[in-house]
Amino acid sequence: AEEVGGDDKEVVKEYFNSTGFQRWRKIYGGMDDVNRVQLDIRIGHAKTVENAIKMLCDEGSLQGVTVCDAGCGTGCLSIPLAKQGAIVSASDISAAMVAEAEKLTKEELQTSRNDLSPTPMFMPKFEIKDLESLDGKYDTVVCLDVLIHYPQNKANAMIAHLASLAENRLILSFAPKTFYYDLLKRIGELFPGPSKATRAYLHAEADIERALKNVGWKIRKRGLITTQFYFAKLIEAVPA
Ligand code: SAM
């Protein structure tokens, strides 16, 4: 049967304000007290962020470019973007995540300023907001590792909305629904670990591509990031 996912958003919000916040803050931060799986996920996610920044910089300097970081988490992407002079609007459904991102960004930008970096930097604007209610226009919209929390029908609407906010580019990452990963996930569901508080939805690249096509966008670049426990497809879409 088709997943409706009616209350996914409330569950996700609650999770990322509580146990999920603690878990992901640890994974995304530099703390030592992570297990082997968490360390592997940290490395995989860092590669996704790095590759997203590479895609962003391919078209030239980010100085003064407006970027919307939808579902910013603890600011793993917003911080390096701000350091490169981008004008960042960062938001997340979780108030705990936004507070952490804001705190880390202030610390990091202060350190960069003390290093007398020649790049003019702007403090990102942080907001507690689900991406469905974001408005405004941005040169680029980025949404990393958020779609995994939503079934395809929800993801379609999210992609359409994000595309409507972007003037030039939309960069998305998602967990690809390939046979191998689907299998791993099913095995994972048979043996759920203690920290598995939310569902993970995989997306077929063709479905993501179709959602973009339906709103007049096409994929320009594709990348795949894999470690032992982390899988992500990274795509850059542009108006067709
Ligand atoms: N994008 C960040 C990164 O890659 O470092 C964080 C990724 S984390 C796995 C997923 C984030 O998406 C969480 O911070 C969560 O609160 C946020 N999120 C989930 N659903 C959301 C929604 N509907 N709107 C905005 N943020 C959402």
Side-chain angles (χ1 to χ4, degrees), residues 85-212:
I87 298 170
V88 181
S89 299
S91 54
D92 198 283
I93 197 171
S94 153
M97 284 290 187
V98 173
E100 179 75 3
E102 201 158 9
K103 183 186 130 216
L104 294 177
T105 306
K106 276 189 188 140
E107 291 170 5
E108 285 276 334
L109 291 197
Q110 196 52 54
T111 311
S112 296
R113 289 201 175 107
N114 292 344
D115 292 344
L116 299 177
S117 154
T119 316
M121 286 177 286
F122 311 96
M123 180 68 191
K125 180 178 155 210
F126 287 101
E127 270 186 302
I128 304 162
K129 231 176 186 188
D130 58 79
L131 63 86
E132 294 86 342
S133 41
L134 288 175
D135 52 20
K137 284 279 178 194
Y138 309 88
D139 176 88
T140 302
V141 174
V142 189
C143 185
L144 300 184
D145 292 7
V146 177
L147 295 176
I148 187 161
H149 303 297
Y150 297 94
Q152 189 61 44
N153 61 342
K154 295 270 159 163
N156 290 343
M158 293 164 92
I159 290 169
H161 185 61
L162 292 173
S164 78
L165 307 172
E167 273 160 347
N168 290 313
R169 290 181 294 195
L170 177 58
I171 294 180
L172 298 171
S173 71
F174 57 94
K177 193 173 193 168
T178 54
F179 172 75
Y180 171 68
Y181 191 33
D182 210 20
L183 189 73
L184 267 188
K185 199 205 145 211
R186 264 180 278 149
I187 295 168
E189 271 169 6
L190 291 176
F191 306 102
S195 55
K196 282 230 172 112
T198 50
R199 296 204 46 173
Y201 295 97
L202 310 176
H203 300 284
E205 191 173 342
D207 291 336
I208 300 285
E209 193 155 19
R210 189 174 314 112
L212 286 161

Side-chain angles (χ1 to χ4, degrees), residues 34-122:
V34 286
N35 63 37
R36 198 171 65 85
V37 176
Q38 291 172 330
L39 182 63
D40 178 88
I41 295 172
R42 175 189 288 171
I43 293 166
H45 173 262
K47 282 191 197 174
T48 297
V49 171
E50 194 188 311
N51 288 3
I53 291 172
K54 253 186 227 142
M55 273 182 176
L56 280 156
C57 292
D58 270 358
E59 305 303 308
S61 160
L62 292 177
Q63 189 67 57
V65 174
T66 52
V67 182
C68 167
D69 181 8
C72 65
T74 58
C76 294
L77 178 75
S78 285
I79 294 169
L81 291 184
K83 283 188 180 168
Q84 301 208 24
I87 298 170
V88 181
S89 299
S91 54
D92 198 283
I93 197 171
S94 153
M97 284 290 187
V98 173
E100 179 75 3
E102 201 158 9
K103 183 186 130 216
L104 294 177
T105 306
K106 276 189 188 140
E107 291 170 5
E108 285 276 334
L109 291 197
Q110 196 52 54
T111 311
S112 296
R113 289 201 175 107
N114 292 344
D115 292 344
L116 299 177
S117 154
T119 316
M121 286 177 286
F122 311 96

